[in-house]
Amino acid sequence: MKRICMMTMGMALIGTLLAEPQAEKQVLTQAGEFSTLWLPSSSLMVGAVVEANGAARMAAQLPKEESATAYGFAAAGITKEQGSFCLGVLMTDLKVALQANDQVRTTAAIDALVTGLQQLKASEPLLRATLQLGAAHHAGMGTDALRRLGLPVIEPFIEAFVEQEGLVVHLRLGEWVESVRLALASADESKPAAATLLLTQMNPAAFFLSALQNAGLPAGGKAALETLKALANEPKLSNAHITQARTAVEQIALAMR
């Protein structure tokens, strides 16, 4: 019951943020800085972007075929830091594909997730749960059922796997960067409400810079995060700001793969 109430509150927060960005920004500022205990989850961010841009428009930005290479997993010698970032990206994409009821892209995301977890030498229970998710999908389980019943099974395993390596921040960075990318790529250019939300009210770039300063953050990723950090203080995002954000998230994705 408590979890349901929290989800209801989260969706109410999304509606408030989209409707009254300036008022909500003051509330978030008063609440304090971001931390590992309060970072916008991929579910919250995906929900906000889906509400503003539509799930189908978001899903159109995802790979249609299993593409572990696109997520960085097929690269030789991927580090655990890079892998955790890529898991954040991939879990975000999986949630989008499920929200959009996109069977093809759901298959691609699950297959890429299995490949990535195998390369990262994930635990047997996590691999088994992910393979079972894929098997259920191939057997005909609908995307809505997978989203409601399957994701809640594997997500805690992934969180625990990353947490035991001390790399939750890398996972969260991947979730946020991919959510911003999808928000920008799927937006109506005249109404970038979701992108504005993630780049201002839900912008933890300053936190990521601080948390990862001694964690081997690549130079390109650091410079791009500095760019995104500056956007959090903009009262209104211009077309130039949106262009800067697009370039920055691409640079972070490249640096972390």
Side-chain angles (χ1 to χ4, degrees):
M1 180 63 71
K2 183 177 180 181
R3 182 179 179 87
I4 294 174
C5 291
M6 290 297 292
M7 291 176 64
T8 303
M9 291 170 62
M11 293 309 296
L13 172 62
I14 291 169
T16 303
L17 286 170
L18 289 172
E20 300 179 299
Q22 291 303 316
E24 187 57 33
K25 186 170 185 177
Q26 293 175 2
V27 173
L28 289 176
T29 301
Q30 292 169 2
E33 297 180 351
F34 289 97
S35 71
T36 51
L37 297 178
W38 199 94
L39 282 171
S41 69
S42 58
S43 295
L44 182 66
M45 292 185 290
V46 166
V49 182
V50 165
E51 183 174 323
N53 297 0
R57 289 180 63 136
M58 290 180 70
Q61 312 302 320
L62 308 181
K64 293 185 69 173
E65 299 178 359
E66 189 275 324
S67 183
T69 303
Y71 290 103
F73 289 121
I78 187 172
T79 67
K80 291 182 178 180
E81 290 79 7
Q82 291 170 321
S84 297
F85 173 88
C86 293
L87 283 177
V89 172
L90 186 46
M91 286 301 292
T92 300
D93 286 0
L94 176 56
K95 290 173 183 178
V96 170
L98 290 172
Q99 285 267 22
N101 192 29
D102 191 314
Q103 304 288 342
V104 173
R105 289 181 170 90
T106 294
T107 299
I110 293 174
D111 290 348
L113 182 60
V114 170
T115 300
L117 290 172
Q118 289 172 335
Q119 187 168 5
L120 292 172
K121 297 179 172 56
S123 67
E124 184 61 31
L126 172 53
L127 281 172
R128 185 167 56 249
T130 308
L131 287 168
Q132 288 173 346
L133 182 72
H137 177 53
H138 287 297
M141 179 179 283
T143 52
D144 186 61
L146 287 172
R147 180 169 61 87
R148 296 177 182 276
L149 303 176
L151 273 182
V153 173
I154 68 167
E155 201 158 20
F157 280 110
I158 290 176
E159 293 276 343
F161 171 63
V162 174
E163 186 173 9
Q164 73 181 7
E165 300 291 343
L167 299 173
V168 172
V169 175
H170 293 77
L171 177 78
R172 296 286 179 257
L173 177 61
E175 291 176 336
W176 181 64
V177 166
E178 181 66 353
S179 296
V180 172
R181 184 189 76 80
L182 292 173
L184 291 167
S186 62
D188 179 340
E189 291 189 5
S190 65
K191 299 178 181 178
T196 299
L197 170 68
L198 298 183
L199 290 168
T200 55
Q201 286 90 349
M202 286 187 178
N203 186 336
F207 166 76
F208 288 129
L209 282 166
S210 175
L212 298 175
Q213 63 180 340
N214 297 318
L217 181 65
K222 181 178 180 181
L225 277 173
E226 291 284 3
T227 297
L228 295 174
K229 173 186 173 182
L231 296 181
N233 299 318
E234 293 292 338
K236 183 177 181 180
L237 297 185
S238 65
N239 289 338
H241 291 138
I242 295 298
T243 299
Q244 290 174 3
R246 283 198 177 98
T247 301
V249 294
E250 290 173 2
Q251 289 174 337
I252 294 171
L254 286 173
M256 294 300 295
R257 292 177 182 173

